[in-house]
Amino acid sequence: MLGVEGNQIDLRTLVGQRVLTSVKVGNLIVPSTSLTEHLRRYTSPAVFNSAGIEPQYAMSLSGSATLIKYSDRYFAFTTLHQLKHPQLQYDFDQFCLIGNRPHTLVTPQRIIYATGNDSEDFDCVLFEFTKTVKRGDLPSFEWYEITEEQYSIKTPKPDFALSIGYPGFRNYIDYETAHFGMSPNAIAGREVEPSLKGRLSFAPREKLHFDPSGFSGAPVFGVKVEQANSRVFFAGIVTEAGKSQIHFISFKRLTELLKKAFNND
């Protein structure tokens, strides 16, 4: 377990005796001790505008979201089941990100989701925020940039995986004081055989001592350790999180929604 705002994961413990002093993230070289802090910018709480459903509450929380940039457009991935709140059934257009200005929520300009025979198993929704980012309502630097090379190749096998999300036990809204408690956790471990069809998975280095509920929608990053050229790549998003195993949809499969976004322009 890691509170990202607290102690950092020592990544060298995950790769044996090989030295891991820095990691390449896109075009940046990030010290290994700062990697989790750097990657946290690409994940966000999944916020839903519930005004009109629960009149006394303007917003609700339901898991995590992954922020990516591709071809100068900005998108947020999350899981479909997050919209199926136990008490509230959210509509797609209720999904929001927290805006640059205080006390503001930003809604998506477009929603892309799977249809057909595989839609139920896919469990993923893509929201586009390009117009609001370029208008300045959302920051432009908090989106993980996908290159053409990564877009076109199969998701490589990582030496270890790392996910940063917003579990429910640390994230809450105090409606009486209008305070939003927002604090992410990181989970790191080795890839293992998935027990769910259509998923990849990794096992935390140590069994978690907290409930990871709320990690759905969070990004999963792979790390390839190659002597002085260790690098990070986007591996997918969490769909089912348990204390001993984290399942996720691979980025290769997620490109189906990105292709749909561009093909339907």
Side-chain angles (χ1 to χ4, degrees):
M1 180 179 110
L2 169 81
V4 173
E5 294 176 344
N7 297 326
Q8 300 298 302
I9 289 175
D10 185 352
L11 301 180
R12 290 169 293 184
T13 64
L14 294 167
V15 294
Q17 299 302 313
R18 285 181 287 182
V19 175
L20 184 66
T21 58
S22 61
V23 184
K24 189 173 183 181
V25 183
N27 294 321
L28 297 175
I29 303 297
V30 178
S32 61
T33 54
S34 302
L35 182 60
T36 51
E37 187 64 35
H38 178 83
L39 294 178
R40 70 173 291 180
R41 69 185 64 190
Y42 307 123
T43 183
S44 170
V47 180
F48 292 87
N49 179 7
S50 53
I53 300 175
E54 292 289 336
Q56 67 271 39
Y57 305 146
M59 58 187 284
S60 303
L61 298 176
S62 181
S64 305
T66 295
L67 310 181
I68 69 159
K69 177 184 178 183
Y70 175 65
S71 191
D72 202 33
R73 289 168 65 174
Y74 299 84
F75 300 93
F77 279 111
T78 194
T79 52
L80 183 60
H81 75 258
Q82 287 169 243
L83 281 77
K84 300 177 181 179
H85 191 277
Q87 284 79 43
L88 304 173
Q89 295 290 313
Y90 297 118
D91 292 329
F92 289 118
D93 59 4
Q94 288 178 267
F95 177 83
C96 303
L97 295 177
I98 299 170
N100 275 336
R101 298 189 305 275
H103 310 296
T104 59
L105 300 176
V106 179
T107 56
Q109 71 191 62
R110 192 175 177 196
I111 302 141
I112 304 99
Y113 52 90
T115 57
N117 295 333
D118 295 331
S119 59
E120 185 174 345
D121 172 62
F122 203 85
D123 193 19
C124 184
V125 188
L126 182 65
F127 300 92
E128 184 167 4
F129 288 89
T130 301
K131 290 181 180 179
T132 50
V133 171
K134 293 187 175 182
R135 196 166 56 225
D137 294 336
L138 291 169
S140 60
F141 58 87
E142 294 186 346
W143 309 75
Y144 183 85
E145 186 162 9
I146 302 296
T147 65
E148 289 293 338
E149 179 184 7
Q150 184 175 358
Y151 185 85
S152 60
I153 65 172
K154 183 179 180 181
T155 304
K157 185 177 179 63
D159 287 303
F160 62 91
L162 176 66
S163 181
I164 302 173
Y166 288 84
F169 85 99
R170 293 188 71 178
N171 295 273
Y172 62 92
I173 299 172
D174 187 326
Y175 293 104
E176 291 186 2
T177 63
H179 173 71
F180 183 9
M182 183 176 68
S183 184
N185 271 64
I187 302 172
R190 301 279 188 172
E191 186 177 15
V192 295
E193 191 70 23
S195 56
L196 298 174
K197 182 181 178 181
R199 301 286 190 265
L200 299 177
S201 72
F202 72 94
R205 181 170 174 264
E206 297 178 354
K207 187 173 180 179
L208 303 181
H209 298 293
F210 67 93
D211 183 357
S213 177
F215 257 80
S216 290
V220 177
F221 297 100
V223 180
K224 290 291 290 183
V225 180
E226 300 169 346
Q227 299 300 326
N229 298 310
S230 299
R231 60 186 177 89
V232 163
F233 60 89
F234 177 50
I237 69 165
V238 174
T239 53
E240 296 90 7
K243 289 185 177 181
S244 58
Q245 192 170 12
I246 310 294
H247 283 88
F248 62 97
I249 294 180
S250 72
F251 172 62
K252 185 62 177 177
R253 193 175 182 195
L254 294 177
T255 59
E256 296 175 26
L257 291 186
L258 284 172
K259 290 175 184 176
K260 193 172 182 179
F262 282 82
N263 290 340
N264 291 343
D265 285 345

